[in-house]
């Protein structure tokens, strides 16, 4: 067998569902100890109490070896590349016997949940009419072996709290630990993208990295505002790369950019960008006031910013017979107009490193997000490279930014409308209680950069992380807002100074995201970044 997965955890923790998912998705071979016990007692429909007693009797008689004996017998013909799942073990002796027999191939995965959750799930089972269940969860826990099952977490290689993870999250995390999934890609071009729904804190990370590059590149439109917090205050860039005001590198807006000229010219003036420093590709899309008016309705249905990007993009597609404005057609922009491809090739010829900053997040991708609650473009690394006119063969590093608690903009005021789904939605009051941060500070900080609307917040979405990793193939992951896990993280300047729970979170992100977490933002400030890179 390829790997042996031993599941443990209290009744109703989700072990059987995970085993079934591993079977369905990855063709794992599942050995259910409950089936073995039913064979032992000679009854297919034996109730749980009978199974508990039978298991205790077998444990006493065999020292827990009855599970390994059955496992060896039943897996004799299993292919070498098959994953075998034991659902489940209940005492340490059973685990010890399995580890002794199979050595390093064994992965012990323990599922847990709160007493309240477990009790609720058990009562739901009974209500569904599952045969053989006991009268109450309290009666179930009266069994000594069952009461001691949570102690098996101490031996486990992986512990997953099913209270705060959806079934998909649990499967993704388990499969990642088992190395059943994983996405990695590996010259002069480094790309930064969002891994969630935007507002991941890309601006601060991009501004921190920007001084290391010879060319700063951005696509997308002004519906995404990237904020940078410095000692002099907060800076928001809607069109220009986040590091524009913090370094002297040349700046390029690609053919994939959507530009609202009045706003761009204001940014250019505010950031004091000289005409010799900025190039706008002649084929960049122009947003007009008509486009902005046309898109206003979307603010009341899907939470759009109403910035006109979608309407301008649609207009570019439908207006190919004439009438669509491109950057080269706007007199005010002519001093900046050029060909992005020439600028990029020039940078390559000089050996300059190129930094491409993406906008929004993977969960908002037009092609891969939950339509219709998406933006008007593909927000992934491949989509960004295509917009910039850069081939994948030029890619050196891809940095995906994720925050500890993902956010989306506030739902529209219209009844029944939403800005888009998020699993495990929370309130900022919960975040404040968990982290120890001031609630009013959180509320003031968590306003969208473009529309100044309060953000919605949710539990970290592990399934989204895995999907975003599959789509983007990151070589690196940046984690932001770790102070929202615990306020004391704001004072950390080195990785080991983070709280133990935060370090465990980072390590799990690395497993599920299949990339190293090399940048960690401890608070909303450009200089508060723990840098773990080797490049």
């Amino acid at each position: 067998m390829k790997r042996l997965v031993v599941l443990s955890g209290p009744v109703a923790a989700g072990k059987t569902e995970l085993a079934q998912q591993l079977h369905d998705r990855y063709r794992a071979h599942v050995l259910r100890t409950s089936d073995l016990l039913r064979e032992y007692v000679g009854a297919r429909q034996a109730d749980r109490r009978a199974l508990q007693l039978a298991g205790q009797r077998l444990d006493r008689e065999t020292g827990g070896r009855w599970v390994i004996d059955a496992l060896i017998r039943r897996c004799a013909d299993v292919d070498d590349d098959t994953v075998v799942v034991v659902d489940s073990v209940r005492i340490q002796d059973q685990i010890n016997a399995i580890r002794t027999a199979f050595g390093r191939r064994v992965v012990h995965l323990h599922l847990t949940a709160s007493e309240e959750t477990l009790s609720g799930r058990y009562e739901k089972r009974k209500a569904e009419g599952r045969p053989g269940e006991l009268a109450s969860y309290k009666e179930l826990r009266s069994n000594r072996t069952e009461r001691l099952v949570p102690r098996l977490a101490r031996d486990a290689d992986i512990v997953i709290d099913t209270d705060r993870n959806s079934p998909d999250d649990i499967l993704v995390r388990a499969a990642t630990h088992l190395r059943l999934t994983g996405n990695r890609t590996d010259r002069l071009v480094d790309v930064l993208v969002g891994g969630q729904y935007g507002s991941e804190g890309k601006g601060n990370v991009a501004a921190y990295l920007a001084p290391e590059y010879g060319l700063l590149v951005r696509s997308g439109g002004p519906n995404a505002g990237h904020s940078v917090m410095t000692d002099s205050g907060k800076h928001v860039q809607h069109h220009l790369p986040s590091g524009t005001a913090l370094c002297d590198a040349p700046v390029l807006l690609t053919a994939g950019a959507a530009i609202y000229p009045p706003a761009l010219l204001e940014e250019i003036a505010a950031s004091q960008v000289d005409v010799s420093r900025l190039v706008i590709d002649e084929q960049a899309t122009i947003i007009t006031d008509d486009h902005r008016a046309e898109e206003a309705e979307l603010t009341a249905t899907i939470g759009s910013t109403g910035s006109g990007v979608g309407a301008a993009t649609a207009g570019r597609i439908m207006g190919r017979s004439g009438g669509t404005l491109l950057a080269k057609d706007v007199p005010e922009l002519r001093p900046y107009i050029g060909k992005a491809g020439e600028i990029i090739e020039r940078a390559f010829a000089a050996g300059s490193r190129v930094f491409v900053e993406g906008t929004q997040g993977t969960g908002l991708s037009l092609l891969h997000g939950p339509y219709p609650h998406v933006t008007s473009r593909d927000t992934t690394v491949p989509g960004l490279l295509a917009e910039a006119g850069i081939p994948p063969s030029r890619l050196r590093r891809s940095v995906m930014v994720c925050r500890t608690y993902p956010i989306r903009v506030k739902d529209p005021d219209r009844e029944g409308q939403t800005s888009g789904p998020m699993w495990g939605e929370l309130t900022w009051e919960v975040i404040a209680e968990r982290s120890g941060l001031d609630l009013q500070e959180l509320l003031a900080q968590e306003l969208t950069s473009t529309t100044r609307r309060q953000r919605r917040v949710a539990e970290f979405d592990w399934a989204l992380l895995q999907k975003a990793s599959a789509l983007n193939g990151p070589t690196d992951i940046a984690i932001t807002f770790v102070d929202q896990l615990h306020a004391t993280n704001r004072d950390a300047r080195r990785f080991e100074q983070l709280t133990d729970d935060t370090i465990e979170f980072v390590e799990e992100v690395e497993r599920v995201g299949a990339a190293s977490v090399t940048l960690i933002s401890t608070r909303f400030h450009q200089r508060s970044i723990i840098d773990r890179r080797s490049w």
Side-chain angles (χ1 to χ4, degrees), residues 12 128 151 167 252 338 373 380 419:
E128 292 171 349
R151 295 187 182 183
L252 174 65
H373 305 289
T380 65
S419 62

Side-chain angles (χ1 to χ4, degrees), residues 34-303:
S34 58
D35 292 341
L36 297 176
L37 291 172
R38 288 188 176 93
E39 291 177 9
Y40 179 75
V41 300
R44 293 180 58 84
Q45 298 297 329
D47 63 26
R48 187 172 294 277
R49 177 55 56 80
L51 295 180
Q52 286 178 336
L53 295 175
Q56 288 174 324
R57 188 160 57 250
L58 280 172
D59 287 336
R60 286 194 303 270
E61 294 172 356
T62 69
R65 285 198 54 84
W66 64 275
V67 176
I68 188 61
D69 292 341
L71 183 61
I72 293 173
R73 187 171 62 251
R74 294 198 172 199
C75 294
D77 298 326
V78 170
D79 294 338
D80 290 342
D81 60 350
T82 299
V83 172
V84 175
V85 180
V86 178
D87 173 25
S88 59
V89 296
R90 300 174 71 235
I91 64 172
Q92 188 65 51
D93 284 346
Q94 294 174 351
I95 300 170
N96 294 342
I98 293 172
R99 289 194 186 278
T100 299
F102 291 97
R104 294 181 62 186
R105 282 181 290 177
V106 177
V107 179
H108 176 194
L109 195 161
H110 184 88
L111 299 184
T112 186
S114 69
E115 195 82 7
E116 181 182 1
T117 296
L118 294 171
S119 177
R121 291 174 183 170
Y122 191 75
E123 292 303 317
K124 184 177 179 181
R125 284 187 181 186
K126 288 173 40 190
E128 292 171 349
R130 293 197 188 187
E133 297 296 348
L134 299 179
S136 68
Y137 188 73
K138 182 178 180 180
E139 183 178 350
L140 171 75
R141 291 299 298 271
S142 67
N143 178 270
R144 183 177 185 276
T145 301
E146 187 63 40
R147 288 199 308 274
L148 296 178
V149 163
R151 295 187 182 183
L152 299 182
R154 294 180 295 190
D155 173 87
D157 302 295
I158 311 154
V159 177
I160 298 178
D161 184 348
T162 64
D163 255 332
R164 296 173 63 176
N165 293 271
S166 71
D168 283 345
D169 292 339
I170 297 164
L171 175 63
V172 164
R173 294 177 65 181
T176 303
H177 278 285
L178 299 171
R179 297 190 294 280
L180 300 177
T181 63
N183 300 281
R184 287 188 182 274
T185 61
D186 230 12
R187 294 165 181 139
L188 286 171
V189 177
D190 295 347
V191 174
L192 182 140
V193 296
Q196 294 159 322
Y197 303 107
S199 299
E200 298 98 344
K202 294 185 297 297
N204 272 332
V205 177
Y208 174 81
L209 295 174
E212 302 177 14
Y213 296 88
L215 178 64
L216 305 181
V217 181
R218 184 165 167 184
S219 287
N223 51 343
H226 290 185
S227 301
V228 181
M229 184 64 75
T230 67
D231 291 336
S232 61
K234 184 177 180 179
H235 305 269
V236 181
Q237 302 285 18
H238 293 278
H239 292 88
L240 301 175
S242 298
T244 299
L246 303 172
C247 66
D248 299 323
V251 175
L252 174 65
L253 300 184
T254 73
I259 296 168
Y260 183 56
L264 173 58
L265 293 170
E266 284 183 13
E267 276 188 60
I268 291 171
S271 298
Q272 300 180 336
V273 178
D274 186 80
V275 68
S276 63
R277 187 183 172 200
L278 170 65
V279 173
I280 303 171
D281 189 85
E282 60 184 2
Q283 295 210 89
T285 301
I286 294 299
I287 302 168
T288 66
D289 288 330
D290 288 343
H291 291 138
R292 291 159 66 91
E294 182 181 342
E295 211 167 87
E297 173 65 13
L298 291 178
T299 64
T301 55
I302 63 170

Side-chain angles (χ1 to χ4, degrees), residues 266-444:
E266 284 183 13
E267 276 188 60
I268 291 171
S271 298
Q272 300 180 336
V273 178
D274 186 80
V275 68
S276 63
R277 187 183 172 200
L278 170 65
V279 173
I280 303 171
D281 189 85
E282 60 184 2
Q283 295 210 89
T285 301
I286 294 299
I287 302 168
T288 66
D289 288 330
D290 288 343
H291 291 138
R292 291 159 66 91
E294 182 181 342
E295 211 167 87
E297 173 65 13
L298 291 178
T299 64
T301 55
I302 63 170
S304 167
T305 63
S307 300
V309 178
T313 303
R316 177 168 183 158
I317 296 169
M318 299 305 295
R320 285 171 289 176
S321 60
T324 296
L325 283 179
L326 300 180
K328 63 183 179 182
D329 303 317
V330 179
E332 296 88 344
L333 299 181
R334 284 176 187 163
Y336 306 98
I337 298 301
K339 296 180 183 294
E342 294 179 359
I343 302 302
I344 291 170
E345 286 303 320
R346 196 178 304 153
F348 290 158
S352 297
R353 292 175 59 189
V354 177
F355 185 43
V356 185
E357 180 182 348
T359 61
Q360 299 158 309
T362 301
L364 295 178
S365 167
L366 174 64
L367 304 178
H368 307 293
Y371 191 88
H373 305 289
V374 294
T375 190
S376 54
R377 50 190 288 274
D378 181 18
T379 53
T380 65
V381 169
L384 184 58
L385 290 174
E387 288 183 350
I390 297 174
S393 60
R394 288 290 190 179
L395 184 63
R396 185 185 75 121
R397 314 293 302 191
S398 52
V399 181
M400 186 170 74
V401 185
C402 298
R403 58 185 293 162
T404 51
Y405 290 98
I407 62 94
R408 295 196 78 145
V409 298
K410 179 184 176 183
D411 285 334
D413 293 330
R414 182 179 296 182
E415 184 177 352
Q417 301 296 329
T418 177
S419 62
M422 286 199 304
W423 181 85
E425 192 157 340
L426 304 168
T427 64
W428 289 110
E429 286 79 3
V430 170
I431 306 301
E433 182 179 351
R434 287 182 182 178
S435 65
L437 295 175
D438 179 71
L439 174 60
Q440 296 308 314
E441 179 186 353
L442 278 173
L443 293 174

Side-chain angles (χ1 to χ4, degrees), residues 444-471:
Q445 177 179 288
E446 296 299 344
L447 297 174
T448 56
S449 300
T450 300
T451 60
R452 308 304 295 165
R453 285 183 285 183
Q454 193 71 59
R455 292 160 169 159
R456 297 155 53 206
V457 64
E459 299 280 10
F460 190 87
D461 193 328
W462 298 95
L464 176 58
L465 172 63
Q466 194 277 334
K467 179 179 180 179
S469 180
L471 290 168

